[in-house]
């Protein structure tokens, strides 16, 4: 059996905390570990990805100014901010162009949009139905590291009465 354990940090976070540095060195010294360091993606490439996401040819300057500094070269974060702007109606796509509907887009991004992967995951989990949230919590505590997910064990650990088919359906929806 294998278990993937992933630790993500920004380089400035590692530099600020000696405990993290020591823990990472300990982990790296163990067998069967590997490290993958990713450099931030440049703003030009982030803009290109956002154009593909919006299905447009040119990203408006106001959108660049709002997203790029906050994303700091993180494509996932930039795409999530772009998605939120679209979902909230702050921008719309019309005839292969991105139309900015709100003035001061940078302030909106600053105040209303997630600025970290942790915030994105929290907001996504919070938006899930209660059943899904509870199943995720139970499954994460049980630490399932198998490709064959033990649904019966999840049913046993779940505090409320629930059928295997309800669990199976909820897990498939996740």
């Amino acid at each position: 059996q294998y278990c993937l354990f992933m630790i993500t940090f920004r380089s400035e976070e590692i530099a600020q905390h000696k405990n993290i540095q020591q823990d990472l060195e300990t982990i790296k010294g163990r067998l069967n570990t590997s490290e993958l360091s990713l450099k931030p993606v440049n703003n030009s490439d982030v803009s290109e990805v956002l154009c593909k996401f919006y299905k447009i040819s040119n990203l408006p300057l106001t959108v660049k100014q709002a997203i790029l500094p906050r994303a700091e070269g993180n494509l996932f974060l930039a795409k999530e901010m772009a998605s939120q702007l679209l979902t909230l109606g702050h921008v719309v796509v019309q005839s292969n162009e991105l139309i900015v509907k709100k003035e001061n887009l940078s302030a909106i991004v600053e105040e209303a949009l997630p600025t970290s992967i942790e915030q994105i995951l929290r907001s996504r989990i919070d938006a899930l139905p209660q059943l899904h949230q509870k199943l995720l919590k139970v499954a994460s505590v049980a630490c399932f590291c198998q490709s064959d997910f033990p649904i019966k064990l999840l049913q046993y650990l779940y505090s409320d009465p629930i059928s295997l088919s309800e669990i199976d359906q909820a897990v498939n929806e996740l």
Side-chain angles (χ1 to χ4, degrees):
Q1 292 181 342
Y2 296 95
C3 181
L4 172 65
F5 181 70
M6 187 181 332
I7 303 172
T8 62
F9 289 102
R10 291 182 176 253
S11 55
E12 64 271 7
E13 291 173 328
I14 294 172
Q16 291 173 357
H17 302 284
K18 290 195 182 286
N19 291 344
I20 293 174
Q21 291 174 355
Q22 292 168 349
D23 291 344
L24 288 175
E25 290 304 317
T26 300
I27 292 168
K28 285 191 250 180
R30 306 268 167 106
L31 294 175
N32 298 321
T33 62
S34 60
E35 176 183 359
L36 175 63
S37 297
L38 301 176
K39 297 191 185 309
V41 177
N42 67 48
N43 285 343
S44 172
D45 290 340
V46 174
S47 295
E48 184 180 331
V49 168
L50 294 180
C51 284
K52 288 179 182 178
F53 168 75
Y54 284 127
K55 297 179 182 159
I56 59 172
S57 57
N58 192 23
L59 196 63
L61 181 60
T62 53
V63 176
K64 287 181 187 179
Q65 291 171 335
I67 292 177
L68 297 180
R70 306 276 305 168
E72 298 176 334
N74 183 318
L75 287 174
F76 178 75
L77 189 55
K79 188 252 175 209
E80 286 299 314
M81 286 189 229
S83 176
Q84 285 290 318
L85 289 176
L86 197 58
T87 301
L88 297 172
H90 298 311
V91 297
V92 294
V93 179
Q94 293 177 346
S95 305
N96 296 329
E97 283 190 48
L98 189 65
I99 310 298
V100 178
K101 293 288 198 175
K102 302 280 184 173
E103 291 183 33
N104 203 357
L105 205 55
S106 291
I108 291 168
V109 168
E110 181 80 29
E111 295 171 14
L113 299 185
T115 57
S116 70
I117 294 172
E118 179 183 352
Q119 288 176 349
I120 291 167
L121 293 175
R122 272 198 190 142
S123 67
R124 284 187 178 183
I125 291 169
D126 289 346
L128 291 171
Q130 284 297 107
L131 170 66
H132 294 76
Q133 287 183 32
K134 194 168 182 180
L135 283 171
L136 274 176
K137 288 176 185 175
V138 171
S140 67
V141 170
C143 196
F144 294 113
C145 297
Q146 303 174 23
S147 60
D148 184 19
F149 197 80
I151 300 294
K152 286 186 180 183
L153 181 57
L154 187 56
Q155 181 187 31
Y156 175 76
L157 294 172
Y158 196 80
S159 60
D160 299 328
I162 188 168
S163 71
L164 287 175
S165 63
E166 287 175 298
I167 292 176
D168 191 45
Q169 180 181 354
V171 168
N172 287 331
E173 289 171 0
L174 291 171

